[in-house]
């Protein structure tokens, strides 16, 4: 009924995708397909249905489009934690010699390396002291 507009019309990409999704199981059946390949085509069939849920598709596209911003914000937070860890480690290093053995052991446990200091700061911000205790 649509003839040439099937490949040229407004929804030509979806029409091509539908054709591929419908033809692939026939090819797989003819070749006695591998089990893990059929999972891929099940996912493709679900994606085929998603075109009817335009608001859901729009939300999904917007979430995927905001991933770059999420990466930058995560990097900035990581930089803040790193800078704060260095700052606290400097203070711990200055106070370390004047403390007794027990306090020095606790200082080493929580601020021995930069990653331990970052974890200690994350625990203090999020109320996660019970992670260790």
């Amino acid at each position: 009924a649509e003839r040439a507009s099937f490949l040229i019309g407004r929804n030509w990409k979806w029409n091509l995708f539908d054709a591929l999704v419908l033809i692939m199981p026939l090819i797989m059946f003819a070749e006695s397909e591998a089990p893990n390949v059929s999972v891929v085509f099940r996912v493709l069939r679900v994606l085929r249905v998603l075109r009817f849920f335009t608001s859901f598709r729009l939300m999904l596209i917007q979430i995927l489009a905001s991933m770059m911003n999420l990466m930058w914000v995560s990097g900035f937070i990581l930089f803040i934690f790193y800078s704060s860890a260095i700052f606290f480690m400097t203070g711990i290093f200055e106070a370390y010699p004047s403390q007794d053995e027990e306090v020095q052991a606790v200082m080493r446990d929580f601020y021995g390396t930069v990653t331990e200091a970052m974890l200690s700061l994350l625990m203090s911000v999020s109320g996660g002291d019970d992670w260790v205790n």
Side-chain angles (χ1 to χ4, degrees), residues 19-32:
L20 288 174
V21 168
L22 293 173
I23 290 172
M24 285 299 175
L26 296 173
I27 294 171
M28 289 180 354
F29 180 72
E31 296 178 350
S32 67

Side-chain angles (χ1 to χ4, degrees), residues 86-102:
I86 296 294
F87 175 75
F88 278 99
M89 283 183 70
T90 304
I92 296 278
F93 178 73
E94 291 175 3
Y96 185 80
S98 64
Q99 303 297 323
D100 60 348
E101 289 285 327
E102 187 176 319

Side-chain angles (χ1 to χ4, degrees), residues 12-78:
W12 72 270
K13 293 177 185 175
W14 281 111
N15 293 336
L16 184 63
F17 180 72
D18 284 344
L20 288 174
V21 168
L22 293 173
I23 290 172
M24 285 299 175
L26 296 173
I27 294 171
M28 289 180 354
F29 180 72
E31 296 178 350
S32 67
E33 97 283 349
N36 59 358
V37 175
S38 65
V39 172
V40 172
F41 290 111
R42 285 182 195 153
V43 170
L44 289 177
R45 287 184 196 126
V46 169
L47 288 176
R48 180 178 169 221
V49 172
L50 287 180
R51 78 175 177 172
F52 299 111
F53 300 108
T54 55
S55 61
F56 177 72
R57 189 172 38 143
L58 182 63
M59 269 194 311
L60 189 62
I61 289 169
Q62 292 303 319
I63 288 171
L64 292 175
S66 67
M67 286 297 162
M68 187 60 104
N69 291 337
L70 178 65
M71 184 197 72
W72 282 108
V73 168
S74 299
F76 182 70
I77 289 173
L78 188 65

Side-chain angles (χ1 to χ4, degrees), residues 2-13 15-17 19:
E2 294 182 13
R3 297 189 186 186
S5 67
F6 182 80
L7 296 175
I8 302 172
R10 194 181 74 152
N11 293 324
W12 72 270
K13 293 177 185 175
N15 293 336
L16 184 63
F17 180 72

